[in-house]
Amino acid sequence: TPTPQATAETPVVVVTEDGTIIAPTATVQVTEVTPPDASTPEPTATLQPSPTVTPPPGDPAIRLGSPTGSDAMDSHVNWSWPTGSDTFLEVAFGNGYMEMTGLTSMAGWRLPLTMQQINTYIELTANSGTCTGKDSYGIIFRVPVFREPEQGYLYEVTCDGYYRLWKWDGKVAPNGQATILLNWKQSDAIRAGADQSNRLGVMSVGNKITLYMNGEKLGEALDSSYAAGFFGVFVLSRTSDDYTVKFDAMKYWENPAQ
């Protein structure tokens, strides 16, 4: 059984931002408010019950039942996550999270010691932390070789509410090659902004890859470059220096019914 290393996995060189859509900055209007007369009684606040959140129809986490494996990510022990720091990443566990900090403008990832997956639904719950713009995080999956994570697919989500799917082949000379499978797209299913919790899901069955966000289907793509592999998480400090993501939980279901 291979022992996970304490060093960060091979970093990913990020493709250029061609086609990126930047959301316009909202203008905030400030209105001067006259204080009420002191003799006027203040209205009594009425507490409203919190709305019930209904999972979207077809949410894989609901319909697939109990997962094959899960990790609350309270510590590195369960799935033997590599920890520590190097040039690209700093990874530590605390306060119920796996905290991953990107130390450069390139994406770096870590893979836990789990079994190789073929047909799988993978789900990751993450808190965006203190972020802006295109600071991003996500799931890397179907990494063919555990000890040489130079290839795989990446489901990327940004602080400002965009997502994309791309594949990386670090073996292409001279600096590797990134290929976009689903280009940047905004989605209201993503809880955008700092300190927001999102539940990312990716279904990989055969050559079909389907992305989910908080149980809602975002899109799908077909690609047969990598038929099986290992999975993990990644972070990219694209806008902020030393961007830190808080990964809260991860689960997977083998051979899911589509």
Side-chain angles (χ1 to χ4, degrees), residues 118-119 142 153 165 181 203-210 220-227 258:
I118 300 176
N119 297 324
R142 285 193 171 178
Y153 299 103
L165 172 68
L181 301 178
M203 183 88 69
S204 305
V205 178
N207 68 343
K208 184 179 179 181
I209 300 171
T210 307
E220 59 187 33
L222 300 176
D223 191 87
S224 57
S225 300
Y226 312 124
Q258 294 196 84

Side-chain angles (χ1 to χ4, degrees), residues 8-20:
E9 307 295 350
T10 305
V12 177
V13 179
V14 180
V15 297
T16 59
E17 296 302 320
D18 293 341
T20 299

Side-chain angles (χ1 to χ4, degrees), residues 1 18 24 28 41 43 48 58-59 147 172 182 188 199 204 227 241:
T1 302
D18 293 341
V28 180
Q48 300 295 326
D59 183 344
R147 291 290 185 179
V172 176
L182 291 174
D188 292 338
R199 183 165 52 93
S204 305
D241 293 332

Side-chain angles (χ1 to χ4, degrees), residues 70-155:
S70 63
D71 188 353
M73 303 180 88
D74 294 330
S75 78
H76 72 281
V77 174
N78 188 24
W79 280 2
S80 298
W81 289 93
T83 60
S85 62
D86 60 17
T87 303
F88 302 102
L89 290 174
E90 181 176 349
V91 177
F93 285 79
N95 303 313
Y97 296 101
M98 171 182 173
E99 298 182 331
M100 177 181 283
T101 302
L103 304 178
T104 73
S105 59
M106 297 185 294
W109 52 71
R110 294 284 173 93
L111 278 64
L113 189 60
T114 56
M115 299 296 293
Q116 180 175 241
Q117 305 296 310
I118 300 176
N119 297 324
T120 319
Y121 177 66
I122 302 167
E123 193 170 86
L124 169 68
T125 302
N127 182 288
S128 60
T130 302
C131 64
T132 59
K134 289 294 185 291
D135 289 332
S136 64
Y137 58 93
I139 302 172
I140 181 170
F141 57 103
R142 285 193 171 178
V143 176
V145 183
F146 181 78
R147 291 290 185 179
E148 299 177 10
E150 297 178 328
Q151 298 171 307
Y153 299 103
L154 294 96
Y155 171 19

Side-chain angles (χ1 to χ4, degrees), residues 46 56 155 163 184:
T46 302
Y155 171 19
Y163 70 92
W184 287 124

Side-chain angles (χ1 to χ4, degrees), residues 237-255:
S237 300
R238 183 180 282 114
T239 309
S240 306
D241 293 332
D242 300 343
Y243 171 45
T244 298
V245 180
K246 296 182 285 187
F247 296 116
D248 193 22
M250 205 165 192
K251 305 175 183 179
Y252 68 93
W253 289 256
E254 292 182 326
N255 300 313

Side-chain angles (χ1 to χ4, degrees), residues 26-33:
T27 301
V28 180
Q29 285 190 320
V30 180
T31 304
E32 185 176 351
V33 179

